Amino acid sequence: MKFLFAEVSPRPVAVLSLITGLLITDSLPAEAVDPAKFLEAHCYDCHDADTHKGNLDLTALKQNFADPEIFNRWVKVHDRIQNGEMPPKKKPRPPAEERDAMTAWLNQSLLKAEHARLDADVRTGVHRLTRA
């Protein structure tokens, strides 16, 4: 009997967070939100090239989810929006359906990138652990 084990992802917490988020927002239409409009309306005041609070400039952050560094930054953005940490409580909050649609879009985009990365990785079967 031959078993295949997936290579351990360097981002297990990020992927786990995305999977749990996907379970929550899976039924929402991700096409219902325009990410650029959402970010402009709710994020660019504090996270643009001039202000970049938290050392985050969302105007310069590309949507190249295949790049591991950019992927990890988008995961943090997703988690902060989903947990209600962003925008901060002192700022105007987006409507719940708009926030949920944005997190659903991020979920789908990040999961597609993670699946593409895992499909491209070479996987090997289990090797014998005996000397014989």
Side-chain angles (χ1 to χ4, degrees):
M1 185 176 235
K2 190 174 188 179
F3 294 96
L4 295 176
F5 291 98
E7 179 181 318
V8 176
S9 173
R11 308 172 274 209
V13 175
V15 174
L16 180 61
S17 172
L18 286 172
I19 291 171
T20 56
L22 182 64
L23 295 175
I24 295 169
T25 60
D26 189 32
S27 61
L28 297 172
E31 297 82 27
V33 69
D34 180 9
K37 286 182 182 177
F38 180 89
L39 294 172
E40 185 175 338
H42 304 289
C43 305
Y44 288 167
D45 290 341
C46 300
H47 300 288
D48 62 356
D50 297 330
T51 313
H52 62 277
K53 285 187 179 181
N55 201 20
L56 178 63
D57 178 9
L58 289 173
T59 59
L61 188 61
K62 304 291 184 215
Q63 292 180 9
N64 179 13
F65 301 115
D67 181 353
E69 185 176 327
I70 293 173
F71 180 92
N72 288 333
R73 293 202 83 137
W74 278 112
V75 168
K76 288 179 184 177
V77 169
H78 168 270
D79 291 346
R80 297 278 167 89
I81 293 171
Q82 185 178 23
N83 293 336
E85 295 175 30
M86 289 292 151
K89 294 182 187 207
K90 296 177 184 176
K91 299 285 183 179
R93 311 286 273 179
E97 57 275 353
E98 198 175 316
R99 184 195 66 227
D100 292 343
M102 179 64 180
T103 56
W105 175 81
L106 274 171
N107 263 325
Q108 291 175 1
S109 301
L110 294 169
L111 282 174
K112 282 180 190 175
E114 187 69 6
H115 285 296
R117 186 190 68 79
L118 288 173
D119 289 343
D121 285 346
V122 177
R123 298 179 184 171
T124 60
V126 175
H127 298 281
R128 278 184 79 154
L129 299 177
T130 61
R131 293 179 191 242

